[in-house]
Amino acid sequence: LSKKYLETVGVEKASQKPIGTGPYELVEWRKGEFMRFKALDKHWRVVPQFKELVFKFVPEDSTRVAMLRTGEADIIELPRSLKKDVQAAGFEARRSLWPGIVVFGVLGGQYMKDRPTYNPKVPWLDKRVREAINLAVDRRAILEHLFLGEAEANTVPIIPPWVKDYNNPAWKPYPYNPARAKQLLAEAGYPNGFTAEWRAYLLSGVPELISVSEALQIDLAKVGIKLDLKLTEYASGVRADARARKLVGIGFIHRTGIPPVPDSQMAIFVTTDGIVGGVELPEIQDLFARLEKAVDHKERTQLIRSVGDILYSGYHVVPLVDLYPLFGVNQKKVGEWKTTGYYGFTHLEYAQKR
């Protein structure tokens, strides 16, 4: 948005009639129903081939698919479970260029020791327990059976796997090794395992989220860790407790976007000021303090990788999968179109007409 425009009309009016720098102009907006855009005749970056865009807000999966079938929509967000139905009807199912969402487990209670809620008796404060949990998870089964293969196994959540500079080549998905997991638990003083509360909820974009918690419950039970699964809502059952650092010894499966530059998103989960605060460590705090001051790209890249090294080697989270957004497309109308998948539809100005 234009800073001058924002300061002139105020935030409320600017949010109702935004003026940006892209090749489309917003001409009509009915909140909760649709947004209509028209293409500019001239633009410094690209003049879109599609002269009008209409974004319709349709939360029901089956309704979106029906709209594609009847020609009411040319591109839809496509749930993984309906991919084959759309293909059988003669339409294309297209993947984004890169994964757009990461799904991972948070092991609550890894707080700074001066936190009033810090409890040294939480089992997974022991690195051996965290490693055991990660080795007990059958990621391949989750990827293939729950996400129908439309994903990749994750190594460090939120760090974009397609940006090589951020990624350490030594990072590999944790192997599935329940025998070693049992051995580690015994070494940590839990030969018979332990019980932990686990909160499960749904979030948009990943209807499989509760099923992932249930799969985790089954996998961990095989090594003696019993998850007391409690169904809840994120807003009322997790968010406030996470901010207050009250999820001591309580775990949950979460999802978030994978931005091309990940530090701000990572800070939500791994800094003392983060609203989720899944992991708090002095060494990570130091790295983020340096990130705030760093302007050199190479230095920032190395700092982000160093955060990833700590998370990976310490088994501080339970990385699961990076998901590729899917789109149902009427290929008779829409030719080549490449989208990053981050926050849904992107780069429609480059879509080719057929």
Side-chain angles (χ1 to χ4, degrees):
L1 290 175
S2 162
K3 181 180 178 182
K4 182 179 180 181
Y5 176 68
L6 188 65
E7 292 175 344
T8 302
V9 305
V11 174
E12 185 175 349
K13 187 174 180 180
S15 65
Q16 294 172 354
K17 192 173 182 180
I19 297 176
T21 60
Y24 281 102
E25 177 187 0
L26 177 64
V27 294
E28 187 179 7
W29 182 7
R30 293 186 187 177
K31 291 188 177 180
E33 295 183 39
F34 67 85
M35 298 177 77
R36 188 185 306 276
F37 298 82
K38 70 174 182 180
L40 301 178
D41 294 329
K42 295 181 180 180
H43 191 267
W44 61 273
R45 181 160 50 85
V46 62
V47 176
Q49 291 189 17
F50 287 93
K51 299 307 177 184
E52 182 181 71
L53 282 183
V54 180
F55 286 89
K56 296 184 178 181
F57 303 101
V58 183
E60 297 83 9
D61 295 338
S62 58
T63 303
R64 293 198 304 275
V65 171
M67 291 171 68
L68 183 67
R69 285 172 175 264
T70 60
E72 190 178 349
D74 299 317
I75 303 174
I76 63 168
E77 288 184 327
L78 180 63
R80 287 165 285 278
S81 60
L82 295 178
K83 176 183 176 181
K84 291 184 178 179
D85 292 348
V86 163
Q87 291 174 321
F91 298 95
E92 288 185 355
R94 299 185 189 177
R95 258 190 183 190
S96 61
L97 292 173
W98 308 312
I101 296 175
V102 59
V103 178
F104 60 101
V106 176
L107 304 173
Q110 298 181 72
Y111 305 148
M112 291 291 196
K113 293 182 179 180
D114 59 356
R115 290 273 190 193
T117 54
Y118 177 79
N119 182 356
K121 295 183 180 180
V122 171
W124 50 60
L125 292 184
D126 189 318
K127 177 183 175 181
R128 293 169 295 186
V129 174
R130 297 194 301 271
E131 183 178 358
I133 290 171
N134 273 289
L135 295 183
V137 178
D138 189 347
R139 290 170 176 79
R140 179 55 54 186
I142 290 173
L143 192 158
E144 292 179 355
H145 298 297
L146 293 183
F147 295 108
L148 307 179
E150 302 296 340
E152 294 176 350
N154 176 257
T155 55
V156 178
I158 305 174
I159 289 183
W162 65 89
V163 182
K164 291 184 179 180
D165 289 346
Y166 291 143
N167 287 265
N168 187 332
W171 299 344
K172 306 294 181 185
Y174 298 134
Y176 177 50
N177 192 340
R180 175 60 179 158
K182 288 182 180 179
Q183 182 182 347
L184 286 164
L185 287 172
E187 291 174 3
Y190 301 98
N192 300 314
F194 58 88
T195 299
E197 181 179 335
W198 197 269
R199 298 185 187 177
Y201 49 86
L202 284 177
L203 288 174
S204 61
V206 190
E208 305 92 343
L209 217 55
I210 290 177
S211 297
V212 175
S213 285
E214 292 171 341
L216 213 68
Q217 184 184 42
I218 293 170
D219 282 347
L220 295 187
K222 294 175 183 178
V223 299
I225 300 174
K226 304 170 187 65
L227 296 187
D228 181 13
L229 212 61
K230 296 186 182 299
L231 300 182
T232 185
E233 294 182 358
Y234 177 68
S236 59
V238 174
R239 185 167 58 194
D241 285 344
R243 286 184 175 183
R245 304 302 191 260
K246 292 182 178 179
L247 296 177
V248 181
I250 299 172
F252 56 94
I253 298 293
H254 198 67
R255 70 95 179 96
T256 193
I258 308 174
V261 181
D263 53 304
S264 296
Q265 192 80 345
M266 292 181 73
I268 294 172
F269 296 91
V270 298
T271 66
T272 55
D273 294 328
I275 60 174
V276 175
V279 180
E280 295 181 346
L281 294 169
E283 53 268 42
I284 288 182
Q285 281 298 117
D286 176 65
L287 290 169
F288 271 92
R290 292 163 61 187
L291 266 169
E292 288 181 0
K293 299 176 182 178
V295 293
D296 179 74
H297 175 70
K298 288 185 178 180
E299 180 184 1
R300 292 183 59 82
T301 298
Q302 186 54 54
L303 289 169
I304 290 170
R305 182 187 281 203
S306 295
V307 173
D309 283 333
I310 292 170
L311 295 173
Y312 181 82
S313 63
Y315 302 91
H316 288 287
V317 293
V318 186
L320 294 171
V321 295
D322 292 327
L323 296 176
Y324 285 91
L326 287 177
F327 302 92
V329 179
N330 183 344
Q331 70 275 14
K332 294 179 181 179
K333 292 186 177 181
V334 182
E336 184 179 8
W337 169 57
K338 296 178 180 179
T339 176
T340 62
Y342 186 53
Y343 286 126
F345 300 96
T346 66
H347 298 81
L348 284 166
E349 64 269 34
Y350 293 105
Q352 304 292 302
K353 290 183 83 172
R354 281 241 170 97

